[in-house]
Amino acid sequence: MRSTTTGTARLTTLHKLSAAGLTAAAGAAALAFAVTPGQAAEAPSIAVKPVAWTTTDLGAHDHVGTQSDQAAAQAKTDAAAAKVKADAAAKAKADKARADQQAASRSQARTPVKPAAPAKPAAPAAPVKKAYADNLDGWIKESLDILKSKNIPATYEGIKRNVMRESTGNPRAINDWDINAANGVPSKGLLQIIDPTFKAYHVEGTSWDPYDPVANITASCNYAADKYGSMDNVNSAY
C-alpha cells in the first residue's frame, strides 16, 4: 500500500519483519567472528562434486590438437621438399650420364670418310645426223653442208647444172672414150672426175670411193674452187 505523501513509500508489516530478521542475522555473524585471539574460526565443511572438464582442461586439449596439426603439416612439407630434392638429383644424374656418353662418342676414333670421286663430265651428245634423200637432190644438199663446213664455195644451181651436163645425174657414169680413158684414167661419177684428181681433192669425212655421189661432188667442187674459184664458174669440161 503506497503512502499518500508524494515521494514517500510506507513500509508494510511484512517489510518490517524482514528487515528485523536481516538485522538479527548480521549481529549473529558478527558475534561468530568475534573470537578469542589465537583461535581459528571453524568454517563449515561443504562437499563439492567434481566436474568432468574444466576450462584449464579444455585449453590443454586445444593446444595438443594444434600441435598435432602443425606436426602433420610440417611432415607433409618435409616430404614434398625431399621429393623435389630427389627428383633434382635424379635429373642431374641422368644429364651427367648423357653428357658423358656424348663426350665418349665424340672422342672415339672416327673412320675418315673417303671423298666421293668427282663426277665424270657427261659425254657430249652425239650430233643427230641429218637425213637426206637418196637421190640427186639429197646428194647435192648433203654435199653443200659438208662444203660449207670446210669453207668451200658452191651453190645448188651451179652443182646441178654441171652434174646434168657431165653425167645426166647417173652416179655410175664413166667415160671410156676421151683422152683420160685413153691414158687409163677414165672420168667417173656424177661430175666425171679422174682418180688422181679425186684423191688429191678428197674432202675429209666422205667416202674414198669415187662413185659415191656425195664424195664425188665434194671432191669435184673442191677442185673447181681451187682452179676456177667455184663450181658455179664451170660451164664446160674442166
Side-chain angles (χ1 to χ4, degrees):
M1 178 176 182
R2 293 181 177 277
S3 171
T4 57
T5 305
T6 303
T8 304
R10 177 183 292 181
L11 296 178
T12 63
T13 303
L14 180 58
H15 292 164
K16 292 178 179 181
L17 290 176
S18 298
L22 291 173
T23 302
L31 181 62
F33 282 99
V35 292
T36 315
Q39 294 180 348
E42 296 182 359
S45 176
I46 301 174
V48 180
K49 184 176 180 180
V51 295
W53 300 97
T54 65
T55 56
T56 302
D57 293 334
L58 289 174
H61 177 73
D62 291 343
H63 181 66
V64 170
T66 301
Q67 287 182 340
S68 177
D69 292 342
Q70 290 177 348
Q74 185 62 42
K76 187 174 181 180
T77 300
D78 293 343
K83 185 177 184 304
V84 171
K85 185 176 180 181
D87 291 345
K91 184 177 182 302
K93 184 177 180 181
D95 291 343
K96 184 177 183 303
R98 190 179 302 108
D100 292 343
Q101 183 177 6
Q102 291 176 349
S105 176
R106 286 193 296 268
S107 64
Q108 290 177 354
R110 299 181 184 273
T111 303
V113 178
K114 185 177 180 180
K120 293 182 179 179
V128 178
K129 189 174 181 179
K130 187 176 179 179
Y132 300 96
D134 189 20
N135 54 31
L136 180 58
D137 179 71
W139 301 331
I140 294 175
K141 289 179 179 178
E142 184 174 357
S143 296
L144 282 170
D145 286 342
I146 296 172
L147 292 168
K148 183 178 180 180
S149 69
K150 305 296 183 180
N151 295 317
I152 301 172
T155 65
Y156 184 93
E157 293 301 328
I159 294 172
K160 186 175 182 180
R161 182 181 72 246
N162 282 284
V163 165
M164 295 308 293
R165 186 186 70 250
E166 295 291 337
S167 65
T168 65
N170 178 11
R172 303 301 297 181
I174 185 171
N175 187 326
D176 56 5
W177 53 266
D178 65 2
I179 188 64
N180 291 323
N183 292 331
V185 283
S187 300
K188 300 176 180 178
L190 290 174
L191 285 169
Q192 292 295 285
I193 189 170
I194 61 176
D195 288 344
T197 303
F198 175 82
K199 291 177 182 178
Y201 288 93
H202 174 263
V203 177
E204 183 181 359
T206 63
S207 171
W208 283 94
D209 180 4
Y211 288 105
D212 179 86
V214 174
N216 187 282
I217 292 173
T218 55
S220 297
C221 287
N222 192 23
Y223 168 75
D226 182 45
K227 299 301 181 180
Y228 306 102
S230 170
M231 181 61 74
D232 294 356
N233 298 329
V234 177
N235 296 301
S236 62
Y238 59 102

